[in-house]
Amino acid sequence: MTIGTDFLQNSKNNSSSNSDDANFDTNMVIILAALLCALICALGLNTIVRCALRCGRRVAMEQQLSGAAATSPGLKKRALRKIPVEVYGPGTSVPETECPICLGDFADGEKVRVLPKCHHGFHVRCIDTWLAAHPSCPTCRSSIVDRTDDDKGGANSQEPGPTVPSHVIVEISEGR
C-alpha cells in the first residue's frame, strides 16, 4: 500500500506542478503584453510631444521672421538703382567668376552688380531679388544700408551719401 500512496502523492505533486507552470506561463504572457502596450504608448507619446515641439518652434520662427521682415525690409528700387553695375569682361574689377546666388558663371558682356562696401559681384537679376528682401550681402552678410538715428536723419543729416526715405542711407564709394 505504501507504493500506491507514494504514487498518488507523486502524481498529485506533478499535477500541481503542471498547473503552477501553466499559471506561470499565463502570468508571463500577461506581463509581456502589458510591457509591450506600455512601450507602444510611450513611443506614441514621444512622437506626439516631438511633433508638438517642432510645430511650436516653426510657428515661433515664422513669427520672428515676419517681425524681422517688418522691421528691416530690403532695399527700395530707388536705392537698388544707385548700386553700380559693371559689364563683365577681361577688364572688370569683379574678382568672382560665378554668381554666388544662382551659381551660374559670369559671361563676357553680362551685367554684374557690384556691392559698394564688400565689392562682391552678382547677376543683376539675382542680387536685385535678394536685396528686395534683405538689406545685406548674401555672401558676407555685411549690411548694404546704414540706418541712422532719428536725430541724425532727414534733411539735416551730416553723413555723406544719398538719403532714402525712412532714414536709410546707401553709401556708394568709387574707390575699391
Side-chain angles (χ1 to χ4, degrees):
M1 249 328 197
T2 56
I3 295 176
T5 311
D6 288 340
F7 176 74
L8 286 175
Q9 283 181 345
N10 283 340
S11 66
K12 195 176 189 183
N13 287 340
N14 282 341
S15 66
S16 70
S17 170
N18 285 341
S19 69
D20 287 343
D21 286 344
N23 286 339
F24 179 76
D25 289 342
T26 304
N27 289 339
M28 186 60 74
V29 168
I30 291 171
I31 290 171
L32 289 176
L35 287 175
L36 181 63
C37 288
L39 178 66
I40 290 171
C41 288
L43 290 175
L45 284 173
N46 182 26
T47 303
I48 291 170
V49 167
R50 289 177 68 186
C51 183
L53 289 175
R54 191 176 305 133
C55 290
R57 278 191 222 127
R58 185 179 304 135
V59 167
M61 290 293 285
E62 287 173 358
Q63 288 174 350
Q64 191 176 35
L65 288 176
S66 67
T71 59
S72 64
L75 298 179
K76 306 291 182 203
K77 288 183 182 181
R78 183 176 173 194
L80 281 174
R81 283 182 288 214
K82 293 181 181 180
I83 299 175
V85 174
E86 294 185 20
V87 177
Y88 187 77
T92 60
S93 63
V94 179
E96 296 93 2
T97 58
E98 72 177 8
C99 175
I101 296 174
C102 69
L103 301 178
D105 288 334
F106 295 133
D108 287 343
E110 195 169 28
K111 291 183 179 181
V112 177
R113 191 175 301 275
V114 180
L115 299 182
K117 289 187 178 181
C118 59
H119 306 293
H120 288 122
F122 306 90
H123 288 122
V124 173
R125 68 186 182 289
C126 296
I127 195 64
D128 286 357
T129 303
W130 172 267
L131 290 176
H134 305 89
S136 63
C137 172
T139 302
C140 65
R141 295 294 189 183
S142 67
S143 178
I144 304 300
V145 295
D146 289 329
R147 300 212 181 267
T148 61
D149 296 330
D150 288 337
D151 58 344
K152 290 184 179 179
N156 297 331
S157 177
Q158 298 294 333
E159 295 193 13
T163 60
V164 178
S166 76
H167 307 287
V168 177
I169 294 177
V170 178
E171 293 180 354
I172 301 172
S173 61
E174 293 299 323
R176 306 222 183 261

